[in-house]
Amino acid sequence: MPHLCRSSLASSFASANAVRQYGPNTIIEPIHLDICLAFDDLRNKSVDAQVTVTFAHKGLATVSDKKKLSNITLNAEGFQQVHIEGVAAYSYDGHRIQLRWNTPFEKNEERNVKIKYCVSHPLSGLFFQQEGSIMGAEPCWAITDHETEKARYWLPTVDFPAARSTLSWTIKAPEQYTSLANGALISKETEDGYTTTRWELNFPCPSYLICFAVGDFISVDDEEVDGKQIKYYAPSGFEPADLKRSFGKTPDMIRWLQAKVGVPFPWPKYYQIAVPAIGGAMENISLVTWIETLILDEKNAEEYKQVVDTINVHEMAHTYFGDMLVIRHFEHAWLKESWAQYMESCWLQDKKSEDDFRYGMLTNAQYYFKECSNYMRPIVTRKYDSSWDMFDSHTYPGGAWRIHMLRQLLGDDAFWTATNLYIKEHAMQTVETSDFRRSLEKVSGLNLQRFFDEWLYSKGYPQLSGTFVHSLADGTVQITLSQTQMANDKPLFGFSYEIELTDDKGKTYRPTLVFNQNKTATACIQLEDSSALPMILRLDPDLKILCTVDMSADERVLQNTATDASDILSRIWAYRELIRQGSYSALSFVAKNILKEPFYGVRIEASHHLARTKNAQSLEILAKLLLNETDPLAMSKIASVCSIQDEGIRQAALTRLADAAQLPYRAHVGFLMIVAAQHKAEDLELLLNTAKDENKYGQHGILRGGALKALGYHRSEEAFKYLLGRVAGTIEPLRARVPAIGGLTYSVPWQSERLQKEGLEVLIKLLRDPNFTVRIAAVKGLVQLKAQSAYNEIANSRFMYTHETRAWLDRTLYELRRADPSKSDAALQETVEKLEGRVKELENKLLKQTAQQKEDA
C-alpha cells in the first residue's frame, strides 16, 4: 500500500495502554483455500459463500501439547447462517470460529474443513458500490481490500501475514458482470444468465493479499511481458483512454523491476483495477487495486502523472517485497513498505534524473521528520495498539531512507547482489528484519549490527548543529558539527559525514567528519592558496545520511552554492539559509535568481521558506513565483503555502485565475485558497461562482471540492451558509465532500453562536455517513473544534469502524477529552494575523527606506 494511508489519521503512535504484539503460532496452517462465491443482484450487497480450507501440520516434528495439534481459531466477523463440516466440533461467536478435531494432527497430515455462510452488508474487507461514488454513472460492483486485517469481514481465515494459503476460486455472478481474482484464469462458462469464472493461484498468499472483484467493468489490454497478460479495469463510466494514460507504463516498469532485482516476475498475469472503495492502492498478488482518483484525464495527468507512476512502481515492487517474501508479523512492516517506497525513488533515478531522485529522497525525509515532531518510535517495534499503526511515515519514508543508507554503505554492487540473494533465499517464505541483515552481511562481509541497533531498533535520527568559520589570515575553513538529539532514549549515532568545499581558484576539498562515540566532529580545511575564498559548500554531497543540519555559511558562499552547486539539495540548503538570514541583500539575491532556477523542486522549497519568513520582501518574491510558475509539478505546491493575507499575493492569484481554464486542477484550487485566505468581501462572488459552476467539477470533483473548501476559508457568513447545505448526502461528488467538510470545520469558529451550533450539528450527523472517509473527516473536524459535547456521539459510532481503526478512534477520543475549549484556535489566529499585519507595515517602511538609501548612495 502506498504512502497515503495512515498518515492522514496519525497525530500520535501507541497509547499508554499499548502492549507488545506477536504473530500467531503456525502449528496447524491453512495451506489452501477453495473459495466458492455466488452473487445475485449486487445491489443487495450480499454473497453466499462456501470455503473449503485445507489444514496441515508442516513442522519437522509434532509439539507435546496435543491441544495445539487439535484446535485452531479462524477470524470471521459478522457471518450469517454458518454451517461447518469436517470437524468434531465448532463454535462461532460472531467474531471467531473455533475448530476442534478429536485426534491431533500428525506430522505432514492434511485435513479439509468445509465452511458455508452468508455475508451481507459487511463492515469492511468486502465493499459494494455506493450511491454517488462515481460522477455521472452508477455501475454495480463488489471488491475486496484487506490490509491490514480486513479479510475476516467476509472470509474465514487466520488473518495475519504468517498464515499463507494457495487459492482456487469459483465465482458465480450475473452474466453482465466481469469476475476477477488472484492467479491464472482456469475457465469461464455461462449458463442460465450466470457466468461462473474459475481462477487458481499456486503461490502461498497471506490473507491481506487475497482479492477478487465482480462488477460492471470496462477494460484495456496492454502489451504482454514475457507472456504475462497486462490489463487495466475500472467501473463503467470511466474512459478507457484515461485508464491507459494512468497505467500505460506498467509493461516497462515490470521489465525494469525484474532487471533491477535480478529475479523474474513470478505472476501469471498482472491486472490493475481502480474502484472508489480502495484506500489508496493495494499490491494483491496479480490483481492490484487502486482508488479511482488515481485514474487521470489529460488535465489531471499534467500535475499528477508522476505521482501515479511512482505508486505503480511501489505496488509492483511489493511483488518481491511483501508478496514473494511475506513479513512474519507487523513489526517487520518496513521490509515491505520501506522497500516499495524506496523503489519509487530508484525508478526516478533510473528513468527520470538524479535531480528527481534526490528530490524524492528529500521529500521522504521531510515526511518522516514531520511525523517525528509528533512522535518518534523505532522502525521495528512490537509495541503498538493496532497493526494499522505501523503503516506510518516511520515505516514508509523513514524506512526507505534506512534502505538507501545501507545501499550507500555497501555500494551498488554489493547492495543489489545482497538484495538478489535475499529474495532468492527467502522466496515463498516469511521474513524478519534479521533475515535481511544476514543477507547484506553475507555478501559484503560487513558487521551491520550497530547500524541496525541504532537505525532500526532505536528511535530518532541525527540532528546536527554546526558552524562554518573562514579565516583569511590562516587560509583555513573550519566546520564543526554536533549531534543534538540525545534525549528520551535517542542514541548517539555512529556515521561518517562528508563535506565538499570549492574555493574561488577551482580547488575542491572533501573532508569527512567521523562520529563514533563522539558528539562533536570538526573538519579543518587548509586552503592550498591562503588567499583563496570558499565559494561553494555541499553538505553530504553523495546523499549518504538521513539527518537534519542547522548550519549557515558566509553570504558569498550561500549565493554561489545557490546558483552553481551541481546538486539540488545543496542549492535548496543555500536558498533556505539566505532566506533565513532575511537581509535586504540576501533576499534581493533570492529575488534575482530563484525564477531562473532550472529544477522545479528548488523553487518549491524556496517558496516554503519564503512563506515561513513572511516579511515584506519575501512576500514580494512569493508573489512573483506565483505569477510566473509554469511547471505543473510546482504550481499547486507553491500555491499551497501562499494562503497569506497579502495584497501582492492576492493579485498574483487573481491574475492566474483570470486564465483558469489553462490551470491544472490542483493549481486552480491552490489559487482559490489564496484568494479565500484574504477574507475580502469582493472575492466572495468569484468563490461562489466557481463552487456552483456545473462545468467546473474537475475530474473526481477535485475542483468542486477545492472551491467548497475555499468558501470555508473565506470565513464569511454567506459562504458558511452555502457550505452547510452541501456536505451531506449525494448533493456533491463523493470526493468533493471531504475538502468541503474541511472548509466547514475551519469556518465554524468565525460564525455567530447560532451558526456555530448548526455547523456542529452537521458534523455530528456526518459521523454516521456510509462513507468511511466522510466519517473520518467529521471526527477530525469535531476534535479540531474541541467539541467535547460530541464526545458521546463519536464514541457511539465506534461500531462503524474495524478493530484496527478503533485504536485510532480511541486515541482521538482521549485527545478530545483532554482538549481545552477555552483556548480558541480562531482567537489565536486572529491575534496572529493582526500582529503579522503590523509587522508587515513596519517592514514595508523599512524596505522603502533601504531602497531609497541605495538609490541615494
Side-chain angles (χ1 to χ4, degrees):
M1 184 171 287
H3 181 58
L4 42 95
C5 49
R6 183 182 182 269
S7 60
S8 63
L9 303 182
S11 59
S12 62
F13 186 62
S15 70
N17 299 321
V19 297
R20 295 185 183 277
Q21 310 274 0
Y22 297 91
N25 294 324
T26 53
I27 297 170
I28 302 174
E29 298 181 73
I31 64 167
H32 183 76
L33 302 179
D34 181 23
I35 304 169
C36 298
L37 305 174
F39 291 92
D40 195 354
D41 189 342
L42 290 179
R43 290 171 294 185
N44 293 333
K45 300 185 178 182
S46 64
V47 59
D48 292 320
Q50 175 182 296
V51 178
T52 302
V53 185
T54 303
F55 292 100
H57 177 278
K58 290 295 185 181
L60 297 178
T62 56
V63 297
S64 59
D65 187 344
K66 301 308 178 185
K67 287 185 178 180
K68 289 185 171 64
L69 288 164
S70 54
N71 291 271
I72 192 170
T73 298
L74 303 179
N75 303 109
E77 295 280 347
F79 291 9
Q80 300 172 20
Q81 303 172 30
V82 175
H83 177 73
I84 300 176
E85 301 172 5
V87 290
Y90 71 89
S91 172
Y92 179 56
D93 63 2
H95 306 285
R96 300 181 306 157
I97 296 174
Q98 298 180 64
L99 304 177
R100 181 175 66 80
W101 292 268
N102 284 335
T103 58
F105 273 70
E106 299 293 336
K107 187 172 64 173
N108 294 323
E109 182 182 1
E110 297 182 3
R111 298 176 185 176
N112 290 333
V113 175
K114 184 181 294 184
I115 306 172
K116 295 181 180 180
Y117 58 98
C118 175
V119 172
S120 182
H121 295 79
L123 177 63
S124 189
L126 172 58
F127 300 89
F128 293 85
Q129 68 282 344
Q130 291 182 6
E131 185 182 358
S133 62
I134 299 174
M135 293 174 58
E138 293 293 340
C140 290
W141 47 263
I143 196 166
T144 60
D145 189 30
H146 293 164
E147 197 164 43
T148 52
E149 302 171 40
K150 299 186 184 74
R152 63 187 65 187
Y153 290 94
W154 72 272
L155 181 69
T157 183
V158 179
D159 205 8
F160 299 103
R164 297 163 302 125
S165 311
T166 54
L167 306 173
S168 53
W169 298 86
T170 302
I171 304 175
K172 182 179 179 181
E175 62 181 336
Q176 68 267 30
Y177 297 139
T178 300
S179 298
L180 309 170
N182 306 102
L185 179 64
I186 303 302
S187 65
K188 184 177 180 182
E189 300 171 352
T190 300
E191 184 178 350
D192 297 330
Y194 288 84
T195 297
T196 300
T197 311
R198 293 180 174 85
W199 300 84
E200 191 170 281
L201 178 68
N202 295 316
F203 199 97
C205 177
S207 59
Y208 76 91
L209 294 175
I210 296 173
C211 182
F212 78 87
V214 176
D216 180 9
F217 301 134
I218 63 164
S219 66
V220 172
D221 288 278
D222 210 332
E223 63 178 292
E224 292 186 354
V225 177
D226 300 329
K228 303 175 193 301
Q229 191 178 40
I230 313 298
K231 293 189 76 169
Y232 319 126
Y233 290 85
S236 294
F238 287 99
E239 293 296 326
D242 293 345
L243 270 181
K244 183 63 185 293
R245 179 183 297 107
S246 305
F247 306 133
K249 290 186 179 180
T250 298
D252 286 341
M253 289 174 176
I254 292 175
R255 285 187 280 265
W256 169 82
L257 180 60
Q258 60 186 1
K260 193 73 175 176
V261 301
V263 179
F265 206 70
W267 312 138
K269 69 176 190 302
Y270 197 72
Y271 288 3
Q272 299 179 90
I273 180 169
V275 174
I278 306 303
M282 187 61 214
E283 65 272 15
N284 315 295
I285 290 178
S286 76
L287 181 57
V288 175
T289 51
W290 294 67
I291 190 171
E292 94 290 356
T293 55
L294 297 176
I295 298 175
L296 307 177
D297 66 16
E298 193 169 352
K299 178 169 285 193
N300 203 353
E302 291 176 16
E303 57 185 349
Y304 223 60
K305 182 62 168 69
Q306 183 166 301
V307 173
V308 171
D309 284 346
T310 54
I311 294 174
N312 200 347
V313 169
H314 182 117
E315 302 310 323
M316 192 181 295
H318 279 306
T319 295
Y320 302 100
F321 309 106
D323 295 8
M324 287 183 71
L325 281 65
V326 176
I327 57 172
R328 177 70 178 84
H329 204 54
F330 297 110
E331 66 267 27
H332 305 291
W334 83 288
L335 289 177
K336 70 187 199 74
E337 297 302 346
S338 303
W339 258 112
Q341 188 84 7
Y342 186 56
M343 293 304 286
E344 295 181 27
S345 297
C346 292
W347 164 264
L348 292 174
Q349 186 176 35
D350 290 354
K351 294 297 183 177
K352 286 211 71 177
S353 70
E354 183 67 19
D355 285 349
D356 285 283
F357 168 72
R358 288 180 175 242
Y359 191 55
M361 293 305 295
L362 173 65
T363 303
N364 280 336
Q366 289 172 338
Y367 276 120
Y368 171 63
F369 295 153
K370 182 178 180 180
E371 187 169 84
C372 284
S373 67
N374 292 330
Y375 64 83
M376 289 188 187
R377 66 164 180 87
I379 302 300
V380 181
T381 180
R382 289 189 174 93
K383 193 172 184 179
Y384 49 84
D385 295 299
S386 161
S387 56
W388 192 240
D389 294 341
M390 292 299 294
F391 291 73
D392 60 1
S393 288
H394 281 65
T395 291
Y396 285 76
W401 253 101
R402 270 76 176 174
I403 293 172
H404 175 69
M405 286 191 291
L406 285 165
R407 176 185 171 191
Q408 294 290 67
L409 187 61
L410 272 68
D412 272 9
D413 183 40
F415 176 79
W416 292 112
T417 300
T419 299
N420 176 269
L421 176 69
Y422 168 64
I423 295 171
K424 288 181 176 178
E425 284 192 342
H426 298 286
M428 299 179 69
Q429 300 174 22
T430 59
V431 289
E432 300 182 352
T433 298
S434 57
D435 296 318
F436 182 42
R437 175 179 59 79
R438 281 191 288 267
S439 294
L440 296 169
E441 291 178 337
K442 185 175 182 179
V443 168
S444 69
L446 293 171
N447 183 343
L448 297 172
Q449 192 66 62
R450 180 177 179 181
F451 181 96
F452 276 69
D453 283 349
E454 291 177 354
W455 289 97
L456 278 304
Y457 299 117
S458 300
K459 62 184 179 181
Y461 56 91
Q463 299 173 43
L464 304 178
S465 179
T467 57
F468 174 97
V469 179
H470 169 232
S471 172
L472 184 61
D474 298 332
T476 61
V477 173
Q478 182 170 294
I479 297 172
T480 300
L481 293 175
S482 297
Q483 295 191 53
T484 64
Q485 76 281 349
M486 293 78 67
N488 300 320
D489 302 323
K490 294 189 288 291
L492 189 67
F493 289 84
F495 60 97
S496 296
Y497 191 83
E498 296 176 357
I499 290 171
E500 182 182 283
L501 178 72
T502 302
D503 64 25
D504 62 349
K505 309 298 183 184
K507 179 66 178 176
T508 297
Y509 308 84
R510 270 224 178 192
T512 300
L513 286 76
V514 178
F515 293 92
N516 189 4
Q517 300 296 334
N518 50 309
K519 174 183 175 182
T520 300
T522 299
C524 189
I525 304 169
Q526 181 67 57
L527 303 178
E528 286 190 5
D529 186 336
S530 60
S531 65
L533 298 175
M535 297 296 285
I536 298 174
L537 180 63
R538 300 174 64 209
L539 305 177
D540 189 19
D542 294 327
L543 195 66
K544 293 182 176 181
I545 303 297
L546 172 67
C547 65
T548 56
V549 182
D550 184 9
M551 187 184 81
S552 193
D554 301 344
E555 189 170 313
R556 178 193 65 260
V557 173
L558 295 175
Q559 290 181 355
N560 283 284
T561 303
T563 55
D564 297 334
S566 58
D567 69 288
I568 64 161
L569 299 189
S570 294
R571 303 203 298 271
I572 288 170
W573 166 76
Y575 275 117
R576 181 193 78 184
E577 292 305 317
L578 286 166
I579 293 165
R580 285 175 64 178
Q581 284 185 5
S583 67
Y584 180 82
S585 61
L587 290 176
S588 295
F589 177 88
V590 174
K592 180 180 178 182
N593 290 280
I594 191 59
L595 293 177
K596 296 184 286 186
E597 162 59 45
F599 187 72
Y600 74 93
V602 180
R603 301 193 299 274
I604 290 173
E605 297 305 312
S607 71
H608 288 194
H609 294 299
L610 289 163
R612 292 188 191 105
T613 304
K614 287 186 182 178
N615 64 35
Q617 197 173 1
S618 68
L619 294 182
E620 283 188 13
I621 302 170
L622 262 182
K624 290 179 181 177
L625 277 167
L626 277 175
L627 202 56
N628 292 281
E629 185 57 63
T630 58
D631 192 326
L633 297 179
M635 276 193 271
S636 65
K637 298 294 180 67
I638 293 175
S640 70
V641 299
C642 291
S643 292
I644 302 166
Q645 288 186 321
D646 178 80
E647 186 58 26
I649 287 177
R650 172 177 176 266
Q651 289 300 328
L654 289 172
T655 300
R656 298 304 298 265
L657 288 169
D659 194 20
Q662 303 305 312
L663 294 174
Y665 299 129
R666 292 166 188 82
H668 193 161
V669 169
F671 292 124
L672 289 174
M673 290 296 293
I674 292 170
V675 172
Q678 312 306 313
H679 315 308
K680 290 186 176 292
E682 57 266 38
D683 294 332
L684 179 58
E685 183 179 3
L686 168 66
L687 299 175
L688 277 172
N689 286 344
T690 305
K692 295 177 179 180
D693 192 335
E694 296 300 313
N695 297 314
K696 290 185 177 178
Y697 280 102
Q699 191 185 25
H700 312 301
I702 295 172
L703 183 52
R704 174 58 63 89
L708 291 168
K709 182 178 180 179
L711 283 176
Y713 277 69
H714 188 264
R715 304 196 310 214
S716 64
E717 181 177 317
E718 185 178 351
F720 184 78
K721 287 180 176 178
Y722 183 77
L723 269 181
L724 283 174
R726 308 304 296 182
V727 296
T730 58
I731 299 170
E732 296 289 355
L734 173 62
R735 301 305 178 189
R737 293 177 66 201
V738 170
I741 292 167
L744 181 73
T745 299
Y746 176 85
S747 191
V748 165
W750 303 94
Q751 306 306 316
S752 66
E753 185 176 349
R754 179 182 62 80
L755 287 177
Q756 285 185 25
K757 289 180 179 179
E758 285 190 40
L760 292 178
E761 288 172 358
V762 167
L763 290 175
I764 288 171
K765 288 179 182 178
L766 293 174
L767 292 173
R768 285 170 174 75
D769 193 90
N771 185 267
F772 173 77
T773 60
V774 171
R775 295 199 303 272
I776 292 291
V779 172
K780 292 172 72 173
L782 290 166
V783 173
Q784 180 181 327
L785 294 170
K786 302 175 183 176
Q788 292 179 333
S789 60
Y791 182 94
N792 288 336
E793 295 282 357
I794 297 173
N796 290 337
S797 70
R798 197 170 184 271
F799 73 95
M800 302 184 73
Y801 295 86
T802 66
H803 68 288
E804 310 142 291
T805 318
R806 286 173 193 163
W808 166 79
L809 190 67
D810 291 343
R811 289 196 298 269
T812 300
L813 286 167
Y814 178 73
E815 181 182 339
L816 179 59
R817 177 171 282 174
R818 294 182 63 202
D820 185 352
S822 66
K823 295 180 179 178
S824 168
D825 293 340
L828 177 61
Q829 184 174 344
E830 189 172 17
T831 301
V832 169
E833 288 174 358
K834 288 179 179 178
L835 290 172
E836 286 178 345
R838 293 173 185 170
V839 169
K840 198 183 302 179
E841 289 177 7
L842 293 172
E843 286 176 341
N844 280 327
K845 291 179 181 179
L846 182 61
L847 189 62
K848 290 177 181 178
Q849 291 175 1
T850 304
Q852 186 62 49
Q853 289 170 359
K854 290 180 73 72
E855 288 180 11
D856 294 343

